[in-house]
């Protein structure tokens, strides 16, 4: 079965899903790999020495500047680091990877199901925060730009977020 047919069937299988409350608007600028600041590359390479950087974006939102740096690890897995500029220095605030919904922790899946929102995610991003929290971003069919639901997990407790996670 081809991907577009699967996505079409998935779209038909779910009810309309209300979006999360809007966060601040984000200005996104594509950045060529050769133009990524050395300070950003250094932080990324320290966290994932074998990573091959494939692309980057500079995101400016409210009073924050971020770099999203995406790449591939030697085993072929994709990874993304979100770096926030604080006092002129760059630090990783989030590490992201796509995961299968079935591999998300049962508590996260149960919390999403109990929310009353009818969503069968076609994409799930696992976003590990520096404080140990993990945010699961659930994307509904036909809505690839913003998650339709986010579920946080920390210290054995899960909850559906009412607002878009700031990172």
């Amino acid at each position: 079965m081809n991907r577009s047919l699967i996505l079409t069937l998935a779209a038909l299988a779910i009810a309309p899903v209300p979006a999360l409350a809007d966060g601040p608007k984000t200005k996104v600028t594509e950045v060529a790999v050769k133009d990524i600041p050395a300070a950003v590359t250094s932080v990324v390479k320290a966290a994932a020495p074998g990573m091959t950087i494939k692309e980057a974006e500079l995101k400016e939102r409210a009073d924050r500047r971020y770099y999203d740096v995406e790449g591939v690890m030697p085993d072929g897995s994709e990874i993304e680091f979100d770096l926030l500029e604080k006092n002129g220095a760059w630090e990783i605030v989030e590490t992201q990877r796509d995961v299968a919904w079935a591999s998300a922790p049962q508590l996260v899946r149960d919390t999403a199901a109990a929310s009353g929102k009818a969503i069968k995610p076609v994409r799930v991003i696992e976003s590990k925060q520096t404080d140990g929290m993990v945010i699961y971003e659930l994307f509904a069919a036909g809505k690839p730009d913003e998650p339709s639901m986010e579920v946080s997990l920390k210290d054995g407790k899960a909850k559906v977020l009412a607002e878009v996670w700031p990172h």
Side-chain angles (χ1 to χ4, degrees), residues 60-131:
E60 297 170 286
R61 179 180 335 150
D63 59 349
R64 298 177 181 181
R65 286 177 19 110
Y66 292 88
Y67 262 95
D68 288 358
V69 180
E70 298 180 31
V72 178
M73 297 302 293
D75 67 1
S77 62
E78 295 179 356
I79 190 167
E80 176 183 324
F81 292 101
D82 291 358
L83 295 89
L84 174 64
E85 185 179 36
K86 287 186 179 178
N87 300 320
W90 293 96
E91 66 179 61
I92 293 173
V93 293
E94 186 170 65
T95 303
Q96 299 180 318
R97 67 187 183 115
D98 280 52
V99 298
W101 182 227
S103 71
Q106 187 65 50
L107 179 57
V108 170
R109 291 182 279 141
D110 290 347
T111 300
S115 73
K117 297 178 181 177
I119 180 170
K120 294 182 182 179
V122 296
R123 181 180 185 205
V124 178
I125 298 175
E126 177 187 76
S127 301
K128 293 183 179 180
Q129 310 301 301
T130 56
D131 66 356

Side-chain angles (χ1 to χ4, degrees), residues 20-21 117 133 135 149-152 159-165:
L20 292 168
K117 297 178 181 177
M133 181 181 293
I135 306 295
M149 180 187 298
E150 293 182 323
V151 181
S152 67
K159 70 176 182 179
V160 173
L161 300 179
E163 296 181 356
V164 174
W165 189 249

